[in-house]
Amino acid sequence: MTPTQWLEVHPYLRPLGDLAAEVDRAAAGIHGLEARVPDWEDYRADFLAGVPLLSSSAAAVDLEPGGRMAEAIVERLAAETSSEMLAVELRALHAELRRGDTVPRGIADFLLGDAALAPPSAGLLRYLGWTAMARFLRPVVSAYGAWRDEERWLRRYCPTCGSLPAMAQLTGVEPGRLRLLSCGCCGTRWQFKRTGCPFCEVDSQRLASVTVDGEAGLRIDHCESCGGYLKTYDGQGDETLLLSDWSSLHLDLVAHDRGLKKLAASLYDFEPAHP
Ligand SMILES: [Zn+2]
Ligand SMILES: [Zn+2]
């Protein structure tokens, strides 16, 4: 399944699909830097204590170059986006960022939740910033996935950046079927309990599931204790598209109409137009 095919069937997602494609093109056009993979032994104690990798001073992953990439994406899009509305917002954001003197570091801290930087269009900066940072972190996320003992994490927040999941994925076949949580920020996927709720951490059979007509592979799992829901991709092979979050925003509307609570961490917090 390609984004083009997906958008033919879901034309109401086109504005978001076009935006995602434009941001990806801008990201591909900037000078890419790669985060240095830490020495895992330095990090082991923090890992076992539940400290996300990027918050660990022992692992000391330097995020400043990722912040530089984020700034470059904002600058590039401000100069060349075809959307007039977005261009105005991007120029204001870029101008504000340029007033600071430690911009790359400030963006990196902002992405990890530090409130020192309070830019206009914070949601846009979070989205563009994480797009850049996820690219920067790819070698680290990949090496961390190979090193990490999933059974020793099983926490509700991302082992890399500490965010709550944006989505979930079911992989494999019984009896080895696994539930993974998917981070919408840094792109990490990690293992979680099959029946537990990642929001209120109730571990029971009180997870219910809603399927949507014509959406084979995607469903909404929700918790009967806290009312939180998590969009879930039940399959393998189309992770890039189906775990992108924007490609299933119509499921958020279905969940919203059923009175379920969006507790997932989404970079697409703006309300899409109703299909
Ligand atoms: Zn993450
Ligand atoms: Zn819950």
Side-chain angles (χ1 to χ4, degrees):
M1 179 74 74
T2 67
T4 308
Q5 291 166 327
W6 190 252
L7 290 174
E8 272 165 18
V9 191
H10 306 89
Y12 44 85
L13 292 172
R14 189 166 292 282
L16 278 167
D18 289 348
L19 174 65
E22 182 170 15
V23 170
D24 278 348
R25 276 196 303 277
I30 61 165
H31 180 54
L33 302 163
E34 294 201 332
R36 194 182 58 80
V37 175
D39 184 332
W40 299 115
E41 288 314 308
D42 292 343
Y43 171 59
R44 184 179 295 278
D46 274 354
F47 171 75
L48 294 175
V51 180
L53 179 65
L54 301 185
S55 303
S56 164
S57 52
V61 179
D62 181 14
L63 296 179
E64 187 162 352
R68 280 211 297 281
M69 285 171 64
E71 193 184 11
I73 287 186
V74 172
E75 183 167 6
R76 195 177 179 102
L77 277 171
E80 65 185 34
T81 180
S82 52
S83 153
E84 202 41 54
M85 233 171 72
L86 194 60
V88 172
E89 215 177 320
L90 282 161
R91 279 185 216 120
L93 177 59
H94 187 229
E96 177 67 23
L97 289 179
R98 287 178 61 174
R99 285 161 35 141
D101 43 21
T102 54
V103 175
R105 166 73 47 212
I107 293 176
D109 291 346
F110 165 78
L111 293 178
L112 288 184
D114 183 320
L117 191 69
S121 310
L124 184 62
L125 181 59
R126 251 168 60 78
Y127 171 45
L128 298 177
W130 272 118
T131 301
M133 196 60 87
R135 282 180 176 252
F136 171 67
L137 287 170
R138 257 182 213 162
V140 169
V141 167
S142 159
Y144 186 23
W147 174 79
R148 185 170 64 242
D149 178 355
E150 294 286 0
E151 298 285 332
R152 303 297 289 271
W153 187 265
L154 298 175
R155 294 170 197 268
R156 66 200 197 107
Y157 53 91
C158 173
T160 306
C161 75
S163 299
L164 287 174
M167 290 187 66
Q169 181 183 17
L170 290 167
T171 67
V173 288
E174 299 293 1
R177 206 151 153 74
L178 291 178
R179 184 183 186 209
L180 307 176
L181 300 181
S182 166
C183 180
C185 298
C186 73
T188 298
R189 274 178 294 153
W190 72 101
Q191 198 179 318
F192 194 66
K193 293 170 282 195
R194 277 285 292 283
T195 54
C197 169
F199 304 119
C200 69
E201 297 193 274
V202 164
D203 187 15
S204 69
Q205 303 304 316
R206 292 166 68 82
L207 275 190
S209 189
V210 180
T211 49
V212 181
D213 283 348
E215 298 293 349
L218 283 174
R219 66 184 213 199
I220 300 163
D221 284 352
H222 59 95
C223 169
E224 292 178 352
S225 294
C226 71
Y229 72 91
L230 205 53
K231 296 182 294 184
T232 299
Y233 169 36
D234 184 358
Q236 276 170 281
D238 280 325
E239 285 84 353
T240 307
L241 178 66
L242 295 184
L243 290 176
S244 70
D245 195 11
W246 71 258
S247 64
S248 56
L249 280 180
H250 51 307
L251 267 69
D252 290 293
L253 294 175
V254 172
H256 181 260
D257 288 347
R258 287 174 172 254
L260 300 173
K261 281 185 262 177
K262 180 151 194 167
L263 301 176
S266 175
L267 293 179
Y268 300 90
D269 273 339
F270 35 90
E271 286 285 302
H274 204 294

